[in-house]
Amino acid sequence: MDLQTERLKIRDWLPEQDTPAAFAIYSDMRVMQWLGDRTVDATLAATQARLKRYQQRTATAHPPGLGTWAVEESKTGQLIGNLLLVCLPNVERQPSGHIEIGWHFNPAYWGQGFATEAAQAVLKYGFETLKLAEVYVVTLPENERSKAVAQRLGMTALGLTHQYHGGTELDLFKLTTKDWQKRVQLVSSGSFREGAPEASY
């Protein structure tokens, strides 16, 4: 993976190199309160093992082309987040066949629109390169920042669901390739302005 945006580079994880910066993300409860079992990484070794899992899942992703990638700020080379495009696990925690996009960012970089900018680039890759029919976002109902990003991405809110991640109650959002194409046309015509840097996440 090697995607460039105006301010960001989205690339494969390099566990040996990226562990210290990733530890700043995954040891922070402000991030982890929204993820999985909400357990923070207590050591650098735990974060390095996490990044190796991300690397392995990307290498063996089905369908090919999905993955979990590092996000760098281009002007500084600083690793600031994680962007994922993966298969949603169902109630039994098996692949559901639905694809989700998600993001984990260092809180020091919240409030600058980086999550929206990175997600827009990965959605373009998903719809135009992988030819995905639709992409979902799931968030805990209290995660207002991520819900705001989903809305800025043009996703349709579908309400609460218990279909994914072992039956956890989640807010569900969806974007189809048709809606994506309409959005691209509006942006190209100047009729629509995409998420700006002052966005909340």
Side-chain angles (χ1 to χ4, degrees), residues 1 44 58 72 86 90-91 121 139-140 145 160 167 170 173 199:
M1 170 62 72
L44 288 169
T58 300
E72 286 184 1
V86 298
N90 62 18
V91 175
T139 74
L140 289 172
R145 286 180 177 273
L160 294 173
L170 299 165
F173 297 81

Side-chain angles (χ1 to χ4, degrees), residues 96-127:
S96 66
H98 292 164
I99 306 302
E100 77 166 309
I101 188 169
W103 42 83
H104 316 148
F105 277 75
N106 186 322
Y109 295 88
W110 291 1
Q112 301 175 61
F114 288 129
T116 305
E117 185 173 327
Q120 285 167 343
V122 171
L123 283 171
K124 176 180 173 68
Y125 162 76
F127 286 125

Side-chain angles (χ1 to χ4, degrees), residues 41-97:
D41 286 359
T43 65
L44 288 169
T47 298
Q48 186 170 101
R50 174 191 295 275
L51 300 188
K52 288 181 178 179
R53 290 195 302 273
Y54 290 166
Q55 195 177 51
Q56 177 65 19
R57 289 173 188 169
T58 300
T60 60
H62 183 76
L66 301 182
T68 305
W69 304 290
V71 181
E72 286 184 1
E73 187 178 21
S74 297
K75 70 178 181 180
T76 64
Q78 179 65 37
L79 189 148
I80 66 172
N82 177 24
L83 211 295
L84 57 93
L85 189 68
V86 298
C87 189
L88 266 168
N90 62 18
V91 175
E92 289 77 29
R93 301 190 183 281
Q94 298 301 311
S96 66

Side-chain angles (χ1 to χ4, degrees), residues 88 98-100 133-139 141 146-147 150-151 154-164 169-176 179:
L88 266 168
H98 292 164
I99 306 302
E100 77 166 309
E134 56 197 22
V135 175
Y136 293 83
V137 165
V138 293
T139 74
S146 281
K147 289 195 289 186
Q151 291 164 350
M155 293 196 150
T156 300
L158 300 179
L160 294 173
T161 181
H162 297 84
Q163 297 179 55
Y164 306 109
E169 183 175 76
L170 299 165
D171 266 309
L172 181 65
F173 297 81
K174 177 180 177 180
L175 184 66
T176 66
D179 288 339

